[in-house]
Amino acid sequence: EHVLKDILSINQTAEPRPSLLTWMLRGLVLVIAYFLSAKLGLTFSTVATNVTLLWPPTGLALAALLVFGVRLWPAVFLAALAANLTTGIPLGAAFGIAVGNCLEAVAGYYLLRAVGFQVDLQRVRDVVALVVLAAGVSTMFSATVGALTLVSFTIIPWDRFGYVWITWWMGDAMGNLVFAPLLLAWKGASKLRCDMRHIA
């Protein structure tokens, strides 16, 4: 019951709403960073055009939503759509994959917020939550939607679904495990430097 109340109250107790200009600037930066990291990730593609064993944008998107708020989700969707379109797949397939990428980031945000996750990663429970809920669970959204999309558009055959799914899931999980902690630690270090300046 307490967990349910926490989930329902997330939007009421979450980060303060930024100004429209701030939101747009943060969104623009996220779109650019996501797109560039996606192009990097696609260079590791091993199974199909859009499937890789290391997907940095997953960690980037999760860290951005945790630090700046879930309202940045449209930037994740637009960047994922743009990145997937550059691979030459049909618009419908790129749209479907982008939906999965966006659902993954939003699910990771809410799952972590529901258990009281703190972005400084100073507690063992926060590290465990990041590994289990973000890397393990939320990445299933993107893997499932993405693999189904590739099959539906005959980009891969049905008999490759399982292999593509597990590869997709592992790539996104690695993205959360490697890049999200690095970005959150960098954010924490930046905040510490600012605090030290104020003290000085």
Side-chain angles (χ1 to χ4, degrees):
E1 181 181 353
H2 293 297
V3 173
L4 179 59
K5 289 180 179 179
D6 290 341
I7 295 174
L8 293 176
S9 64
I10 281 176
N11 283 330
Q12 298 173 5
T13 60
E15 65 284 335
R17 186 183 298 271
S19 68
L20 178 60
L21 178 59
T22 299
W23 178 81
M24 292 179 65
L25 288 175
R26 288 175 178 173
L28 178 61
V29 172
L30 178 55
V31 166
I32 295 172
Y34 188 108
F35 181 85
L36 293 177
S37 65
K39 297 302 291 182
L40 173 64
L42 288 171
T43 63
F44 301 107
S45 178
T46 58
V47 180
T49 308
N50 299 70
V51 185
T52 173
L53 285 170
L54 180 61
W55 189 241
T58 299
L60 171 63
L62 178 65
L65 296 194
L66 288 171
V67 173
F68 298 113
V70 73
R71 297 181 186 91
L72 281 181
W73 70 263
V76 176
F77 173 78
L78 290 175
L81 178 62
N84 283 294
L85 283 174
T86 65
T87 64
I89 63 175
L91 174 60
F95 184 90
I97 293 172
V99 168
N101 293 149
C102 189
L103 284 175
E104 170 184 73
V106 173
Y109 170 87
Y110 279 111
L111 285 171
L112 292 177
R113 287 296 301 273
V115 297
F117 179 81
Q118 295 181 7
V119 297
D120 56 14
L121 292 173
Q122 294 298 308
R123 304 177 303 176
V124 174
R125 59 177 289 185
D126 296 323
V127 176
V128 172
L130 182 67
V131 172
V132 176
L133 298 178
V137 178
S138 72
T139 48
M140 294 181 181
F141 285 89
S142 183
T144 302
V145 175
L148 284 174
T149 299
L150 293 181
V151 168
S152 299
F153 282 84
T154 64
I155 297 173
I156 61 169
W158 269 107
D159 60 5
R160 297 279 286 173
F161 176 86
Y163 182 64
V164 168
W165 189 96
I166 192 66
T167 304
W168 198 309
W169 175 76
M170 289 175 61
D172 284 6
M174 287 300 296
N176 268 342
L177 290 175
V178 174
F179 292 95
L182 287 176
L183 293 168
L184 293 175
W186 175 76
K187 169 64 177 176
S190 299
K191 183 177 184 298
L192 178 60
R193 286 195 295 269
C194 290
D195 291 342
M196 291 300 292
R197 290 195 193 100
H198 287 306
I199 293 174

